[in-house]
Amino acid sequence: EVQLLESGGDLVQPGGSLRLSCAASGFTFSNYAMIWVRQAPGKGLEWVSAITGSGSSTYYIDSVKGRFTISRDNSKNTLYLQMNSLRAEDTAVYYCAKGSENSFPYYIDYWGQGTLVTVSS
Amino acid sequence: EIVLTQSPGTLSLSPGERATLSCRASRSVSSNYLTWYQQKPGQAPRLLIYGASSRATGIPDRFSGSGSGTDFTLTISRLEPEDFAVYYCQQYGSSPRTFGQGTKVEIK
């Protein structure tokens, strides 16, 4: 059974940093792309960042480029999202998600339960 | 960027009725790379349909997807009580990957 367990969400001040983690199990982690998707309170879904199975290729939406860094440790079956220079508009539940394959085109086939990031003074 | 517009915003139906949800893209979705997700309050989304019309593992056959190009449809043939939720379409054929704004299916 695929399981994705996020952690690291917290209340942080504007300009602050946070690192999210996602522990994966139930599949061969290194064989699949992984994704972070966020959902602002009461809003829709936004695909934030993605990384291939080896970690060699990454993708970011424009609004987080230069501030967020996605990475993975395949030896620990763990996905990360380092978030710097946080803004109020980054406030959201952040979901860790598994890609259906390692390379394009892949869709999200499993989701974690999410971790809440609140950016506020 | 491909903008996905879902309609209606809210669908009020009774259990047993048929639900038809629309997802329209601002330009053609490459190779019909479109998914549908279901999200219930306080829960993560769940994959229903991929490739516009293929049901994901474990999804009941009352859920079906259709369409191509710019117009896609999710149909729930007979609504069960557990089907009342928000439904999102998403395209994965081009970057950035984009989601529709969602359709809420509520109990009438």
Side-chain angles (χ1 to χ4, degrees), chain A residues 37 39 43-47 59 61 95 104-109 111-113, chain B residues 33 35 37 39 42-45 47 50 88 90 92-97 99:
Chain A
V37 175
Q39 186 170 37
K43 301 297 184 183
L45 300 164
E46 182 176 45
W47 182 299
Y59 165 83
I61 55 170
Y95 293 103
F104 175 88
Y106 55 84
Y107 53 89
I108 292 172
D109 55 4
W111 301 68
Q113 285 304 301
Chain B
Y33 290 145
T35 52
Y37 298 96
Q39 187 178 34
Q43 295 186 20
L47 174 68
Y50 64 93
Y88 294 95
Q90 187 239 323
Y92 56 101
S94 63
S95 291
R97 310 288 192 262
F99 291 88

Side-chain angles (χ1 to χ4, degrees), chain A residues 18-78:
Chain A
L18 212 54
R19 187 175 85 155
L20 306 183
S21 300
C22 172
S25 62
F27 62 102
T28 304
F29 184 66
S30 60
N31 286 356
Y32 295 92
M34 296 295 293
I35 303 105
W36 288 100
V37 175
R38 67 185 179 185
Q39 186 170 37
K43 301 297 184 183
L45 300 164
E46 182 176 45
W47 182 299
V48 175
S49 182
I51 187 168
T52 53
S54 65
S56 61
S57 181
T58 58
Y59 165 83
Y60 302 92
I61 55 170
D62 285 347
S63 61
V64 308
K65 279 181 184 175
R67 301 189 299 122
F68 290 12
T69 302
I70 190 171
S71 62
R72 64 193 296 161
D73 185 336
N74 288 344
S75 69
K76 295 182 178 179
N77 289 353
T78 302

